[in-house]
């Protein structure tokens, strides 16, 4: 089997790296939720060799992630753990940071609630969360292309779709996470950056 490939990862990896690299310079361990193809893990772990990068996803994506990991041979990336936020237990280990890209609009609202409840147990006080992807503000799409994308998502899975920034922020607050920054990214995406309160 050839390695799975997501063109979006190729396009967004450098803009994402520019934001997260300085914020991860004093951190050691990262848990990625929904690693997808594994491309981000390979790229970010390669660019930030001081990190220990734990991949995770639903089981069906593990083979592809492992193909990327085998080809890359980085020693600071770890094979995926089975983690569907709707039903799998999160690791007992604590991570300095959680990274997730283009997942919250794929998940149902129930799954996003589970995500925030569980990650709170996985990062220590002062731990951080990065959530990359599209969000709506004041109930509005930020672009026509995001509106079209949302309609397409819902036509595939009615429970999926772009989430409201304000709702995400409320869930985060309830989980003890404070939003520190909301970065504008190319192609109408954002990086939401949170700190766990001490
Ligand atoms: C659009 S892909 C993004 C993958 C990768 N992070 C990227 O940026 O290319 C969405 C990812 O979310 C994962 N995902 C969807 N629902 C999930 C859930 N309930 N728990 C964990 N991961 C989930 C999918 O398996 C998939 O890997």
């Amino acid at each position: 089997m050839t390695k799975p490939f997501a063109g979006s990862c190729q396009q967004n990896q450098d803009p994402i790296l520019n934001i997260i690299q300085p914020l991860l310079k004093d951190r050691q361990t990262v848990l990625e939720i929904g690693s997808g193809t594994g491309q981000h893990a390979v790229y970010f772990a390669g660019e930030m060799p001081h990190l220990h990068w734990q991949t995770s996803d639903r089981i069906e994506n593990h083979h592809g992630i492992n193909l990327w990991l085998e080809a890359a041979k980085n020693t600071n990336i770890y094979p995926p753990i089975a983690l569907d936020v709707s039903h799998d237990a999160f690791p007992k280990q604590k991570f300095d940071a959680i990274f997730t890209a283009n997942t919250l609009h794929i998940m149902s609202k129930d799954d996003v609630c589970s995500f925030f409840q569980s990650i709170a147990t996985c990062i220590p006080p002062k731990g951080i969360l990065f959530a990359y992807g599209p969000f709506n503000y004041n109930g509005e799409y930020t672009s026509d292309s995001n509106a079209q994308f949302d309609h397409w998502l819902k036509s595939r899975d009615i429970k999926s779709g772009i989430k409201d920034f304000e709702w995400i922020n409320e869930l985060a607050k309830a989980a003890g996470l404070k939003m520190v920054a909301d970065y504008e990214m190319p192609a109408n995406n954002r990086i939401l950056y949170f700190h766990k309160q001490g």
Side-chain angles (χ1 to χ4, degrees):
M1 179 183 161
T2 52
K3 299 199 302 288
F5 179 79
S8 56
C9 286
Q10 189 82 13
Q11 285 155 17
N12 64 32
Q13 61 190 16
D14 282 317
I16 295 175
L17 182 71
N18 289 341
I19 299 292
I20 68 174
Q21 191 166 33
L23 302 171
L24 286 169
K25 75 176 168 19
D26 298 325
R27 309 286 176 161
Q28 294 184 326
T29 53
V30 179
L31 171 64
E32 181 180 14
I33 311 274
S35 296
T37 59
Q39 281 165 263
H40 276 156
V42 166
Y43 187 69
F44 295 144
E47 294 293 321
M48 297 179 278
H50 68 287
L51 291 177
H52 297 270
W53 193 282
Q54 175 64 62
T55 58
S56 81
D57 208 322
R58 294 162 150 174
I59 298 271
E60 62 260 32
N61 287 333
H62 286 202
H63 184 59
I65 296 170
N66 281 322
L67 291 176
W68 274 89
L69 266 53
E70 282 157 22
K73 300 201 183 337
N74 305 43
T75 54
N76 63 329
I77 319 179
Y78 301 93
I81 51 179
L83 189 42
D84 183 318
V85 301
S86 68
H87 59 261
D88 287 314
F90 273 56
K92 297 225 182 312
Q93 182 195 341
K94 296 244 191 276
F95 293 86
D96 298 330
I98 291 186
F99 172 84
T100 197
N102 281 332
T103 53
L104 300 183
H105 61 269
I106 303 293
M107 294 179 190
S108 66
K109 289 186 99 175
D110 283 349
D111 288 357
V112 175
C113 290
S114 302
F115 169 86
F116 276 99
Q117 282 159 10
S118 298
I119 58 167
T121 66
C122 232
I123 48 176
K126 299 192 171 52
I128 60 182
L129 163 67
F130 299 109
Y132 169 90
F135 296 95
N136 290 336
Y137 291 76
N138 300 312
E140 305 276 347
Y141 297 111
T142 58
S143 66
D144 289 345
S145 60
N146 275 5
Q148 284 160 16
F149 181 48
D150 192 48
H151 294 138
W152 176 77
L153 286 168
K154 290 190 167 87
S155 71
R156 283 190 334 165
D157 174 2
I158 190 65
K159 291 186 171 173
S160 69
I162 298 177
K163 307 298 185 291
D164 287 334
F165 166 88
E166 296 81 5
W167 180 67
I168 294 288
N169 204 9
E170 286 308 311
L171 289 181
K173 266 193 221 163
L177 295 160
K178 182 177 179 345
M179 188 177 295
V180 183
D182 170 11
Y183 297 97
E184 186 172 0
M185 302 298 290
N188 306 301
N189 289 298
R190 319 291 302 187
I191 290 180
L192 309 185
Y193 173 46
F194 300 90
H195 273 194
K196 173 106 178 265
Q197 300 297 95

